[in-house]
């Protein structure tokens, strides 16, 4: 057990809030700086950071065209000062809760899209995650600041296949342009010969 104060004076760091209990029952929240408590009857049982935190979540799902993709989502969240009681007492693991909702939204959104549409809809996916999390996590004392789809990555075999398709397409275009250029040269040569 760490000791952050003396008999009745406790200090809470900047951008934190302390939770004070009186013989195991919630008494009050204390803000940053020094605060007096009635030790040993009262104690600071925990501290919550009010800074923005980030949780990176990676979820695997399948697209409408049956391609498995890894979707990476960054969720930025913070404890709301006025709801710190709920953040401390109503939710044991906020990161697990956030991760579960991210999985739910990703697994219900991406399977309705084909792979190309999923790449084009990264902002829409992020917005869907943000809206779902904001409505749910507010009740637990957390504000969701932002969500970003940071990566959408198909299986490496699919990537290799897509690269081969694109390379073949470009080679076909190059051959077409080369044939057109050869045709123009032959016409010019024929015109000069007459």
């Amino acid at each position: 057990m760490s000791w952050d104060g003396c008999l009745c004076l406790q200090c809470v760091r900047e951008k934190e809030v302390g939770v004070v209990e009186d013989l195991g029952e919630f008494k009050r929240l204390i803000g940053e700086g020094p605060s007096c408590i009635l030790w040993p009857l009262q104690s600071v049982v925990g501290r919550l950071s009010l800074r923005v935190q980030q949780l990176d979540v990676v979820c695997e799902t399948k697209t409408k065209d049956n391609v498995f993709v890894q979707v990476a989502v960054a969720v930025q969240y913070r404890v709301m000062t006025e709801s710190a009681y709920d953040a401390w007492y109503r939710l044991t693991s906020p990161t697990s809760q956030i991760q579960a909702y991210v999985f739910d939204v990703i697994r219900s959104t991406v399977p309705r899209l084909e792979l190309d549409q999923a790449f084009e809809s990264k902002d829409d996916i992020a917005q869907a995650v943000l809206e779902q999390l904001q409505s749910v996590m507010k009740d637990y004392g957390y504000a969701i600041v932002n969500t970003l789809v940071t990566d959408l990555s198909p299986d490496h075999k699919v990537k290799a296949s897509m690269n081969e398709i694109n390379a073949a397409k470009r080679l076909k275009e190059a051959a077409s342009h080369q044939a057109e250029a050869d045709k123009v040269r032959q016409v010019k040569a024929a015109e000069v010969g007459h």
Side-chain angles (χ1 to χ4, degrees):
M1 181 174 158
S2 68
W3 185 252
D4 293 330
C6 61
L7 297 177
C8 64
L9 187 64
Q10 288 286 311
C11 290
V12 175
R13 294 178 185 267
E14 191 170 332
K15 292 293 182 188
E16 285 187 352
V17 64
V19 180
V20 177
E21 287 184 356
D22 188 353
L23 298 173
E25 182 181 343
F26 173 75
K27 189 67 173 177
R28 62 189 165 112
L29 297 170
I30 54 175
E32 54 196 44
S35 294
C36 289
I37 60 168
L38 301 174
W39 188 86
L41 301 175
Q42 293 181 341
S43 61
V44 177
V45 295
R47 290 172 166 77
L48 291 167
S49 174
L50 300 176
R51 290 179 282 220
V52 174
Q53 301 174 64
Q54 180 166 308
L55 176 65
D56 295 313
V57 179
V58 178
C59 176
E60 184 176 57
T61 190
K62 189 165 72 167
T63 62
K64 187 176 183 178
D65 47 352
N66 293 321
V67 176
F68 280 93
V69 292
Q70 296 274 336
V71 182
V73 178
V75 179
Q76 298 167 343
Y77 67 98
R78 67 174 180 78
V79 172
M80 297 184 295
T81 309
E82 65 279 4
S83 302
Y85 174 90
D86 293 327
W88 181 259
Y89 287 104
R90 293 195 64 208
L91 201 56
T92 303
S93 177
T95 57
S96 296
Q97 187 81 4
I98 290 170
Q99 185 175 19
Y101 279 103
V102 170
F103 281 4
D104 181 55
V105 173
I106 295 298
R107 289 183 177 152
S108 65
T109 304
V110 174
R112 293 183 290 184
L113 305 170
E114 292 186 358
L115 183 60
D116 291 339
Q117 290 174 316
F119 277 105
E120 294 168 4
S121 302
K122 284 171 54 173
D123 289 340
D124 297 335
I125 295 167
Q127 186 62 33
V129 171
L130 178 68
E131 289 170 4
Q132 177 70 20
L133 285 174
Q134 282 179 331
S135 68
V136 171
M137 295 305 292
K138 176 179 55 175
D139 295 337
Y140 295 108
Y142 288 87
I144 305 302
V145 178
N146 202 3
T147 57
L148 304 164
V149 174
T150 56
D151 191 27
L152 201 142
S153 179
D155 181 75
H156 69 280
K157 291 178 185 175
V158 173
K159 277 187 194 176
S161 174
M162 290 171 71
N163 287 338
E164 286 177 23
I165 290 168
N166 284 333
K169 191 183 207 181
R170 287 193 176 96
L171 286 173
K172 184 178 176 182
E173 274 184 33
S176 173
H177 290 299
Q178 184 64 41
E180 188 68 31
D182 290 344
K183 180 180 164 186
V184 168
R185 276 191 220 109
Q186 287 176 355
V187 169
K188 293 286 185 190
E191 289 175 354
V192 171
H194 278 50

